[in-house]
Amino acid sequence: MSALSTVVVVTWRGRDHITACLDALAAQKSPHRMIVVDNASDDGTAELISGHEVVRLPRNRGYAGGLAAVLDLVDTPYVAWLNDDAVPDPSWLSELENALEAEPDAAAATSSILLTDGSTQSVGVALTSDGYGKDVVLAGREVFGFCGGAALLRTSELRAAGGVPAGFFCYYEDTDTAWRLRLAGHRVISVGPARVRHRHGASTRPGSPLFHRWNERNRLLMLLRCAPASVAVRELARFLVITALLPVRKDVPDAANFRIGLRLRVLGEVLIRMPVTVVQRLVIGARSKVTRQRVWRDWAGR
């Protein structure tokens, strides 16, 4: 039986958890191809994955960069994204494949991602009224977007929508991709029986300055690329105003994303990328079949 899917696992210094991920993939009921992308690990990970199909990058290009680096190598109808600290159930891949086979207008299927204590981390991603992507733990069949830690996408539709935003490095590559798939007229579905256990934060540190820098920067870049112009300008202006008022505020939250230095760096990185981002926005708009306003009206704040 030929494989329907290629599972891409991106790793960086994954020595302590990647073996469990790869063992779980070996136990999948559905035949598949697997590509491990090693982001120049220097902790012994390379030795642990040496028996698999490995693409070793010369430097750490992040999760988004790793996915983008091997998209052209995928020769199956579906491509799965899987975190190296995730352990899927044996039926995980077959559940996702069956769901997409049954619903041809869906371009992506997201999993039930459980934390190690059994609680739910995500069954899909919602779009908030201020343009953030937010994991949801209760959802119907259809969701705005997928969690990139464990999802299955149609390879041809991903490529047609522009692939993976490699420059994001880490975070929001999934929500940005969901935006573009929806602009192309496709659906995203949640598949409850496709379960994955996730050691959340094993590869990155949620709440750290780097985490907030990537999140804030990539949210703004995503909106500038995909959202209605009024929304993108509003959120960029709001970010600027909040940053400018921080020195005189008395109730500043004690979080890294409210530190002036971090926010100024985010603004600088967004401004440097602005010319390229505007070109990307025009390209995305030119190939869209659904208006940005329609997607925003249908999904923001739900």
Side-chain angles (χ1 to χ4, degrees):
M1 183 177 178
S2 59
L4 288 175
S5 302
T6 298
V7 182
V8 179
V9 179
V10 179
T11 189
W12 178 70
R13 297 179 179 174
R15 178 186 61 191
D16 293 337
H17 48 262
I18 193 169
T19 299
C21 174
L22 300 184
D23 287 348
L25 283 175
Q28 290 297 300
K29 295 179 179 178
S30 182
H32 60 279
R33 178 187 179 194
M34 181 177 67
I35 301 175
V36 183
V37 183
D38 183 7
N39 266 319
S41 297
D42 56 4
D43 66 337
T45 298
E47 289 75 15
L48 292 175
I49 63 178
S50 60
H52 301 276
E53 182 179 355
V54 176
V55 174
R56 183 169 172 83
L57 302 181
R59 59 182 176 85
N60 185 2
R61 294 175 55 182
Y63 191 61
L67 293 169
V70 298
L71 182 56
D72 286 346
L73 302 180
V74 176
D75 57 1
T76 52
Y78 303 124
V79 56
W81 299 359
L82 186 66
N83 281 174
D84 66 344
D85 54 2
V87 179
D89 283 0
S91 61
W92 167 72
L93 185 57
S94 60
E95 293 285 358
L96 293 175
E97 289 175 341
N98 291 340
L100 287 183
E101 291 283 286
E103 301 190 41
D105 59 339
T110 192
S111 311
S112 290
I113 302 178
L114 309 176
L115 297 174
T116 52
D117 64 2
S119 62
T120 302
Q121 176 187 343
S122 177
V123 295
V125 170
L127 184 64
T128 69
S129 59
D130 49 2
Y132 283 91
K134 176 184 178 182
D135 282 315
V136 292
V137 298
L138 290 173
R141 182 63 164 178
E142 189 165 2
V143 287
F144 169 75
F146 59 92
C147 177
L152 188 68
L153 294 83
R154 295 188 191 275
T155 308
S156 60
E157 303 302 350
L158 174 59
R159 287 178 176 144
V164 186
F168 279 28
F169 192 83
C170 191
Y171 300 117
Y172 273 91
E173 66 283 331
D174 48 7
T175 311
D176 181 278
T177 301
W179 251 109
R180 289 179 285 114
L181 290 174
R182 288 210 164 271
L183 289 171
H186 304 299
R187 298 169 55 233
V188 179
I189 57 176
S190 177
V191 184
R195 289 182 292 270
V196 169
R197 298 272 178 172
H198 184 214
R199 287 181 57 187
H200 185 50
S203 299
T204 59
R205 290 190 298 119
S208 68
L210 263 180
F211 170 88
H212 283 297
R213 172 188 154 204
W214 289 329
N215 264 280
E216 297 290 357
R217 180 195 70 188
N218 293 347
R219 176 183 71 101
L220 293 173
L221 291 175
M222 175 193 72
L223 293 175
L224 289 166
R225 281 160 51 93
C226 301
S230 59
V231 174
V233 171
R234 182 195 74 196
E235 290 305 314
L236 182 57
R238 179 182 292 176
F239 193 90
L240 277 164
V241 170
I242 291 173
T243 303
L245 292 177
L246 281 177
V248 298
R249 282 182 59 177
K250 296 181 180 180
D251 58 343
V252 178
D254 184 21
N257 57 326
F258 284 93
R259 295 174 188 167
I260 294 178
L262 183 146
R263 295 178 73 88
L264 290 176
R265 181 164 186 177
V266 167
L267 285 169
E269 292 181 350
V270 170
L271 290 175
I272 288 171
R273 291 165 171 77
M274 188 67 76
V276 171
T277 302
V278 170
V279 172
Q280 292 169 342
R281 178 182 179 84
L282 293 174
V283 172
I284 292 168
R287 61 177 169 234
S288 295
K289 297 180 181 178
V290 179
T291 66
R292 292 178 163 96
Q293 289 78 10
R294 172 70 180 274
V295 174
W296 183 260
R297 184 174 67 247
D298 288 350
W299 290 99
R302 283 183 53 177

